[in-house]
Amino acid sequence: MPTSDQSAPMPARNTASEVLFTEKLWPTIWIWVVVVGLSSAGILMFAPISAAAGIIAALVLLAVMTTLLVVTTPTITVTRDSLRVGRATIDRKFVGTAEAFKKGEATAERGTRLNGLAYMCFRGWIDAVVKIEITDPADRTPYWLVSSRRPDELVAALGGN
């Protein structure tokens, strides 16, 4: 039986994979209100058949839309050696400057200033965006444009550029 002064060895900590920033781009409360409203339309569509069919249809629609929203909600993760936005990942050595845009400037970045080759991961319910320059010479993508509720923190995690 081990004595109390014996301790288990501490696992080595990998600082390269230490998470510097993470954010899940969850839908706002208004999106969930719309989901409930749309799913309740199932009652109207199937009520002529039976009230039970309408309620079942509404519950199925609610489950499907909720599942789709949860599964498709992207996550932004910044570590010392990588940046991951949704399904896309890039080494930090290929990440250049990052700049936050809010309100009208964010609208312009998503619209008239948008480069068609840019990687885009933005959500309509989040106003601010962060433009992240990509410096990989083998990648035609000039930058990533990413929605964020905490754009200044994301820019700071990427190096404060």
Side-chain angles (χ1 to χ4, degrees):
M1 182 167 185
T3 61
S4 62
D5 61 336
Q6 293 176 337
S7 60
M10 294 296 290
R13 196 169 132 196
N14 185 357
T15 57
S17 64
E18 179 184 349
V19 176
L20 304 174
F21 176 88
T22 187
E23 179 180 10
K24 191 92 165 158
L25 303 179
W26 290 111
T28 62
I29 189 70
W30 295 111
I31 298 300
W32 295 110
V33 169
V34 169
V35 165
V36 170
L38 287 174
S39 64
S40 65
I43 294 172
L44 296 174
M45 291 187 292
F46 288 92
I49 298 170
S50 77
I55 291 170
I56 291 170
L59 293 175
V60 168
L61 285 171
L62 180 63
V64 168
M65 287 189 278
T66 299
T67 301
L68 287 174
L69 273 177
V70 169
V71 169
T72 62
T73 297
T75 301
I76 303 168
T77 306
V78 178
T79 65
R80 294 205 186 284
D81 58 355
S82 70
L83 166 64
R84 182 174 180 88
V85 177
R87 294 179 294 167
T89 303
I90 191 165
D91 288 339
R92 286 284 302 275
K93 65 183 178 184
F94 297 122
V95 173
T97 60
E99 189 176 359
F101 296 95
K102 299 174 185 170
K103 303 196 187 278
E105 290 293 312
T107 302
E109 288 298 323
R110 287 188 299 262
T112 57
R113 293 188 212 150
L114 183 64
N115 184 328
L117 295 175
Y119 172 74
M120 297 165 275
C121 182
F122 44 83
R123 297 297 183 252
W125 51 80
I126 301 174
D127 177 56
V129 294
V130 176
K131 186 176 187 178
I132 305 163
E133 177 188 25
I134 303 301
T135 61
D136 184 359
D139 191 348
R140 292 184 45 207
T141 306
Y143 61 87
W144 288 10
L145 192 62
V146 179
S147 289
S148 177
R149 289 189 176 95
R150 303 178 350 238
D152 297 328
E153 290 178 43
L154 177 54
V155 169
L158 289 170
N161 298 328

